[in-house]
Amino acid sequence: MGNMLKRFHICACGFRKIFANPRLYLSFLWFFLSIGYYMAKVKSFSAMMGVKASPWIFPLLIPDAMGQLFIIIGATLLFCDAPFMNETTIWQLVRAGRKNWFWGNMLYIWLLSLFYAVMLFLLPNFLLFPDVSWTSGWGQILGALAQSSAASTLGINSLNYSVMVQYTPLQAAGCVLLAVWLNTVLVGMINYVCNLWLKRGTGPLFSIVMGLSPYLIVRLADFRIGYYLSPPAWMNISMYNWDGYGDFPSPTYIYTTLAALLLILMVLGYIGIRRKDIDPVSGI
């Protein structure tokens, strides 16, 4: 019980620091920049029609590689300072020990990633307010923007109709939130391990390459092969192969691969913290 309290304390210290850090708010700015104009058009369309939009637009916004890239950039801003060493680290290590300090950091990465994913889901609805209301279905506004010429009339791209066909709003929200959450955790772990084992600053570099992977792999390899190799592309739930037929990966492949990557990185991070000399001043 004492060890758990120490880990929660280290996690809480991380949250206190990040909420006072501009990087947290800049991380949401990237996604805002990618959807701000679009949401303004949706809001005006909703007001013009006299019908409020449903709150399920987030899963329909991020199938494209640009939206995925901005989400990864935001996550990189959150975790670019991993493994979170600062002037208080030496005292935390003395009082909690390396093992508890490591697991406290892991808890921080997972919980902050969950907060980030939930806030990204809510952000489009903040931009739609007050022209948004609760409904269990996709609603007239989102349906019109996906199935009719309304989007082209407004000068924006149509929403992803295939997501509407394959999923209920709750199913789509759950799948997308899970994919965004795990991708954000993956970014945190990449920064943690690369900054720990390699030169500080390599973590953000690898994270941005990961964010660009939907662009790079598709252009350097066959699109279907690329979809198996790019975790950010798995935020596009319209490509999930649920029935085992087709060219795209199944949810089993996607989440097994993510779990394996996270486990490998967690083991490397644990070994690094236990064995490497730690200098809080230099961050390694």
Side-chain angles (χ1 to χ4, degrees):
M1 188 65 179
N3 286 336
M4 287 302 300
L5 288 175
K6 291 175 183 177
R7 294 168 190 179
F8 277 113
H9 176 73
I10 291 166
C11 176
C13 287
F15 270 94
R16 284 195 294 270
K17 289 183 180 297
I18 195 64
F19 276 112
N21 195 313
R23 285 190 291 106
L24 174 65
Y25 308 100
L26 287 173
S27 68
F28 295 110
L29 177 63
W30 288 101
F31 189 61
F32 169 80
L33 291 175
S34 70
I35 67 169
Y37 176 79
Y38 197 100
M39 297 312 301
K41 290 291 186 178
V42 175
K43 183 178 174 67
S44 64
F45 179 65
S46 177
M48 180 179 65
M49 296 296 293
V51 179
K52 292 188 176 182
S54 67
W56 308 109
I57 193 170
F58 179 67
L60 308 173
L61 290 174
I62 60 171
D64 65 286
M66 182 62 70
Q68 296 157 12
L69 172 61
F70 281 126
I71 289 174
I72 297 300
I73 290 175
T76 303
L77 280 171
L78 288 180
F79 297 117
C80 62
D81 63 336
F84 319 118
M85 295 180 187
N86 51 59
E87 66 279 359
T88 65
T89 298
I90 189 65
W91 303 110
Q92 291 177 346
L93 287 169
V94 170
R95 298 182 65 178
R98 290 192 181 212
K99 183 177 178 180
N100 287 326
W101 186 74
F102 171 80
W103 290 115
N105 284 335
M106 293 300 101
L107 182 62
Y108 169 72
I109 289 175
W110 282 86
L111 291 183
L112 182 58
S113 297
L114 179 60
F115 172 79
Y116 178 67
V118 172
M119 290 304 296
L120 288 181
F121 178 87
L122 295 176
L123 180 59
N125 295 301
F126 292 149
L127 298 177
L128 283 177
F129 186 82
D131 297 307
V132 62
S133 65
W134 171 263
T135 175
S136 59
W138 289 109
Q140 296 180 34
I141 297 299
L142 302 188
L145 292 173
Q147 302 177 64
S148 72
S149 60
S152 60
T153 302
L154 294 169
I156 56 178
N157 295 327
S158 297
L159 293 175
N160 194 309
Y161 181 60
S162 61
V163 173
M164 291 185 174
V165 172
Q166 297 178 56
Y167 302 88
T168 67
L170 282 173
Q171 289 171 339
C175 289
V176 168
L177 280 172
L178 180 60
V180 173
W181 182 25
L182 294 180
N183 266 276
T184 306
V185 174
L186 182 59
V187 169
M189 293 303 304
I190 288 172
N191 279 272
Y192 197 96
V193 170
C194 291
N195 288 344
L196 182 64
W197 281 100
L198 305 176
K199 185 177 179 180
R200 188 172 180 82
T202 55
L205 176 62
F206 280 103
S207 297
I208 296 302
V209 171
M210 171 182 150
L212 289 169
S213 62
Y215 289 105
L216 299 175
I217 294 176
V218 167
R219 284 160 177 74
L220 297 176
D222 183 86
F223 174 74
R224 292 165 296 181
I225 297 174
Y227 199 77
Y228 280 82
L229 302 176
S230 174
W234 300 338
M235 299 183 208
N236 180 4
I237 62 172
S238 66
M239 296 294 186
Y240 283 19
N241 184 358
W242 291 96
D243 56 12
Y245 299 98
D247 297 320
F248 296 104
S250 67
T252 301
Y253 169 85
I254 288 170
Y255 292 111
T256 300
T257 302
L258 283 170
L261 289 172
L262 291 173
L263 179 60
I264 292 170
L265 290 169
M266 195 173 297
V267 170
L268 290 174
Y270 182 79
I271 293 172
I273 290 298
R274 298 286 285 180
R275 294 185 178 181
K276 287 179 67 69
D277 293 332
I278 295 178
D279 180 6
V281 175
S282 64
I284 55 174

